[in-house]
Amino acid sequence: MTVLADLTTSTEAFEASSTDVLETSSAEAFRSPSTPAFATPPTQVFDNRESAVRSYCRAFPVLLSSAHGTTLVAEDGTEYVDFFSGAGALNYGHNHAHIKRQVVAHLEGDGLLHALDFHTAAKREFLDRFGREILEPRGLHHRVQFCGSTGTDAVEAALKLARKHTGRTQVIAFSGAYHGVSRGSLAATADLSLRKVAGTHLGEVTHLPFPVGPRGAFPTMDLLEQYLTDDLSGVEVPAAVILEVVQMEGGVYRIPDADLRRLRDICDRYGIVLIADEIQAGCGRTGGFFSFEQAGVVPDLITVSKSIGGLGLPMSILLIREGLDSWAAGDHPGTFRGNQLAFVAACGALDLWQSQAFLDQARDGAELLRAFWENHPLPGVEVRCEGHAIGIDLTHAGGRQAADAVVAWCFERGLIVESTGRDKAVLKLLPALTMELDVLRHGCELIHEALRTALSR
Ligand code: PMP
């Protein structure tokens, strides 16, 4: 069967079940606070056997066993509405029926699962469709490099390629940035406590203040120009500038479009590779498919992971602008660069991007979120809305203590939401793009009630 025939078949199957696109849980999933949220799950094996490094399970002490749509189900049957979405890896919710069908069919048909970087049918379909349906319509003519399984692998590849291409070593990153925790990416990550754990020197990255942050606007591009034009600045012309257009772990801050365009111009003038890390902000999370689209800027290298794998399957890619693919064959190997099941799931997710029902729902959800938080201001609380990423900043309204209280209060009532940013004082709402509007509204109401309760203390 040709690729085209394959595509037709999958599209037909998709249309026949287009209601699946909208599948989610019902708003009734929320509990009365009197119901215990979790009945002492048997978690001893984790305490006894698992490394102390585990973290999310400490904030959310529940033993999860299944999930559907935007609902997580604990082993004891307790349900949780998911405003966390696997830290952005589940933009299409859990076990999306349409995507799952493609994956199950691949398994049932003994489709290849592991193939390093062999040519395979599943990879061909993904490459062909991703190029035609996502990249080309956005004027992006990038090549695709398949990296190891997780986000940091794409960041490592990007930094290494930028260095190889330019022959320079230095990189500029930004305060507030998160790019991963392997050695190269950790050097670009700004979190000092994470950096400390490296136990070694994390050199060759200079952090500049992000143009927007808790202290307001900063003339970063002026500073960068000054560094680059002053031969006594102490800052070498770098191989790359790496940024999250919307800093997510940093507390949901979007770089102003004008600053991003200026950064593009500076990079052009000095031959600096501009790397956009779309690992968390991409795949529709903050508006368009990519967070940089609205600024009309084309980055040289783009890292994509998390939700690209459709169902939360591991996948990590680097998009490489024409003329920058300076790799020689075999320069950057890795055993798990070809997760075939993730390619299949990724194609299932691409079907959603062809569905008007999905696009309408995502647009309506983002609009609902923006309208809700604009219409429900709270004293001292700043709310930053970027599509389906909402940062509720409690820095000046109770700080970390209030944020922790809201997280715990919501968890007890059946909603999972996390805190992030400086001193973990920013609540970060990451509902799936497929969350039903009434669930989304009820979730926001619950979080708002939690905020009122925490702030009244
Ligand atoms: N970049 C960004 C922007 C991220 O948010 C993350 C993960 N939170 C990473 C890189 C690293 O991805 P991973 O944890 O999959 O290595």
Side-chain angles (χ1 to χ4, degrees), residues 56 86-87 149-155 177-182 185 189 242-244 246-249 277-281 303 305-306 315-316 428:
Y56 285 118
S149 51
T150 199
T152 197
D153 297 321
V155 175
Y178 188 97
H179 297 294
V181 296
S182 52
S185 67
T189 290
I242 182 168
L243 87 159
E244 295 165 85
V246 182
Q247 290 193 336
M248 300 290 280
E249 299 299 321
D277 182 344
E278 290 284 312
I279 288 168
Q280 192 167 156
T303 55
S305 185
K306 291 197 189 269
M315 182 164 170
S316 187
K428 187 174 64 171

Side-chain angles (χ1 to χ4, degrees), residues 162-163 166-172 204 206 224-231 233-241 266-273:
R163 287 180 169 125
T166 59
R168 305 175 192 150
T169 52
Q170 294 296 318
V171 166
I172 285 178
E204 295 170 341
T206 302
L224 181 56
E225 290 259 20
Q226 188 169 319
Y227 276 156
L228 297 174
T229 48
D230 178 1
D231 63 344
S233 70
V235 177
E236 292 169 25
V237 177
V241 174
I266 293 171
C267 288
D268 284 342
R269 280 188 281 121
Y270 288 89
I272 300 166
V273 176

